[in-house]
Amino acid sequence: MEYDFSFCNPTVIHFGKSAMNHLADELNKYGRNVLLIYGGGSIKKIGLYDEVIRILTECKKNIVELPGVMPNPTWKKVEEGNTLVRKHKIDFILAVGGGSVIDLAKGVANSALCYDPDPFKKYWIDDAPVDNPIIPIGAILTMVGTGSESNGGSVITNEDLKIKTGRVFPLETSAPRFAILNPEFTYSVPLYQMKAGIFDIFSHLMEQYFSGEDDNVSDYLIEGLMKSLIRNTKIAIKEPTNYEARSNIMWCATVALNGLVGRSKQQDWEVHAIEHQLSAITDCTHGMGLAAISVPYYKHIYKYGLAKFKRFATEIWGVPDVGSDEEVALQGIEALRGYISESGMVLSIRDLGVDSLDTIREIADSTEEGGGYKQLDHDEIYKILLESYNLTY
């Protein structure tokens, strides 16, 4: 382990079929005025909305609702929540939904009591420390992928600026105080969204894995999570209500981004940076955007981290250690491509609404330059996007 670190994740996880039995006890720890944030109508279709309202009412909470959170939550929606917090003197925020709902809840929690003229610039662009009171939040998860249920991340799209960017707020102040994780709540998620969430998990693992050269316990943990995710992806696609598969995927998502497996890792996150601008401009599904970018990106950088890419090939995909290190590494990336294709995920940004070279240039030039094993400039990002667009990688 090359780097020193401190680690504590404060989120209390209630996992399994009986997880909702803990909601009342958790809610009673906080004030009476509750802002209930959720997305579309899915939580009503599965009866979860009625159950949550019943428990909130029995706990004698004053309920204020913010419905209609979109898949790529916007700053305008955050501002709508901020207005409700101030108007109703909200004590606690309960987010019911997937990562987008929870991300928006964190955005509201951190910015509602900020009276700076431009909280988005202050907290999401300038990354300034939060110097105002923060509203505590809790989460009931209905779609897995982001890991937002136990981290401080809040990815928000500013439509006026055409920027989608994430702010990782401190765990101790901004991670949900508790999270209810019942895998059965994810059964109603459409297959496309389930697959997108799965690749989001896989991408989180790769972003942390493809960094560093040392012998690191975190890498072994990541490898175990990857293997579990690959196995359970196949089962969940064939049997969407297979509890074991869906529960394993749900727990993979949480552990993949609760801070644990990133300890003593430099990390990368350039695939996410590129995808954020892809979806800021096209409003595509996040996980599918990651899938379309990952293979050309890794083919572009693998020589700069060759030992790790070879290990990825042999340990994750079972590629025989025969031939040159470069040949083995490329077989591993090809196996990743096969996993994406066989799972019915997206391989080309053309399938996500990118319809011209001008759009590709806009995405590339608005993406923050960076990377792990290799730092990319805008022209290199353009090349990666072009290869995805034309499926020439």
Side-chain angles (χ1 to χ4, degrees):
M1 303 290 282
E2 186 174 355
Y3 304 107
D4 297 349
F5 62 88
S6 299
F7 175 68
C8 176
N9 189 299
T11 304
V12 176
I13 301 291
H14 299 292
F15 190 98
K17 297 178 182 180
S18 63
M20 280 291 286
N21 295 344
H22 299 275
L23 181 58
D25 288 341
E26 292 290 354
L27 289 171
N28 286 330
K29 299 175 183 177
Y30 304 99
R32 293 191 65 183
N33 298 327
V34 175
L35 178 62
L36 176 63
I37 301 180
Y38 55 97
S42 62
I43 68 167
K44 293 184 177 180
K45 291 179 182 176
I46 66 174
L48 181 57
Y49 172 85
D50 290 338
E51 186 176 3
V52 170
I53 292 294
R54 176 184 63 78
I55 294 171
L56 285 166
T57 302
E58 289 176 355
C59 292
K60 299 181 180 179
K61 304 295 184 181
N62 300 317
I63 307 167
V64 178
E65 297 188 28
L66 177 63
V69 177
M70 58 289 294
N72 290 307
T74 64
W75 176 243
K76 290 179 181 178
K77 197 67 178 180
V78 173
E79 291 182 309
E80 187 180 335
N82 290 349
T83 298
L84 293 175
V85 167
R86 294 191 288 264
K87 178 180 179 180
H88 298 281
K89 298 181 180 180
I90 294 298
D91 300 304
F92 185 77
I93 297 171
L94 181 61
V96 184
S100 296
V101 173
I102 303 170
D103 276 20
L104 185 122
K106 293 176 200 167
V108 173
N110 280 277
S111 65
L113 301 180
C114 172
Y115 291 93
D116 186 274
D118 190 350
F120 182 83
K121 181 179 184 298
K122 180 176 181 178
Y123 291 150
W124 277 265
I125 296 178
D126 295 341
D127 206 31
V130 178
D131 55 8
N132 52 260
I134 300 171
I135 311 297
I137 73 172
I140 301 174
L141 192 63
T142 63
M143 178 179 170
V144 304
T146 68
S148 192
E149 62 273 10
S150 64
N151 64 44
S154 176
V155 180
I156 301 297
T157 298
N158 189 310
E159 294 175 297
D160 294 334
L161 300 177
K162 289 188 176 180
I163 292 174
K164 178 179 175 181
T165 186
R167 168 67 189 271
V168 181
F169 295 102
L171 276 170
E172 59 271 19
T173 60
S174 298
R177 302 296 176 85
F178 65 87
I180 304 295
L181 274 60
N182 181 344
E184 294 175 317
F185 293 165
T186 69
Y187 289 174
S188 65
V189 172
L191 193 61
Y192 183 88
Q193 297 296 335
M194 182 192 78
K195 293 176 182 179
I198 288 171
F199 197 82
D200 195 10
I201 304 166
F202 207 90
S203 184
H204 292 160
L205 294 168
M206 292 191 293
E207 296 274 31
Q208 296 166 94
Y209 185 71
F210 289 122
S211 63
E213 303 291 346
D214 61 319
D215 185 42
N216 189 313
V217 169
S218 295
D219 287 332
Y220 294 94
L221 296 173
I222 292 170
E223 287 168 353
L225 291 168
M226 286 180 177
K227 290 175 183 178
S228 175
L229 193 59
I230 292 165
R231 179 184 185 278
N232 286 287
T233 297
K234 297 176 182 178
I235 298 170
I237 290 173
K238 292 180 180 178
E239 305 173 51
T241 59
N242 184 301
Y243 181 84
E244 183 175 75
R246 298 302 286 267
S247 64
N248 283 332
I249 292 168
M250 176 175 266
W251 189 233
C252 277
T254 299
V255 179
L257 208 58
N258 70 354
L260 177 63
V261 302
R263 294 314 87 209
S264 196
K265 296 288 297 178
Q266 292 176 331
Q267 308 185 27
D268 186 335
W269 296 106
E270 188 62 16
V271 172
H272 271 69
I274 298 170
E275 194 290 323
H276 282 172
Q277 286 312 107
L278 169 64
S279 59
I281 291 167
T282 67
D283 199 32
C284 70
T285 301
H286 175 60
M288 293 303 186
L290 295 171
I293 294 165
S294 290
V295 175
Y297 174 76
Y298 290 127
K299 281 196 172 181
H300 191 81
I301 71 162
Y302 79 97
K303 292 181 182 180
Y304 301 90
L306 188 56
K308 182 57 68 65
F309 279 93
K310 177 183 176 182
R311 177 172 167 175
F312 178 68
T314 58
E315 295 298 322
I316 302 304
W317 305 108
V319 174
D321 187 1
V322 177
S324 68
D325 289 353
E326 186 173 327
E327 288 171 335
V328 173
L330 282 171
Q331 288 181 65
I333 299 174
E334 189 59 32
L336 172 64
R337 174 178 176 155
Y339 169 70
I340 294 170
S341 177
E342 291 165 12
S343 300
M345 300 167 186
V346 173
L347 283 166
S348 172
I349 59 173
R350 191 189 293 264
D351 295 328
L352 298 172
V354 177
D355 57 5
S356 70
L357 299 184
D358 288 341
T359 302
I360 295 174
R361 176 52 70 181
E362 182 182 7
I363 296 166
D365 288 349
S366 62
T367 297
E368 184 176 352
E369 296 177 326
Y373 286 124
K374 186 181 192 303
Q375 296 289 297
L376 303 184
D377 60 28
H378 293 305
D379 287 340
E380 289 173 298
I381 295 168
Y382 177 85
K383 181 179 178 182
I384 290 165
L385 289 166
L386 186 62
E387 288 173 355
S388 174
Y389 181 77
N390 290 322
L391 276 177
T392 54
Y393 55 85

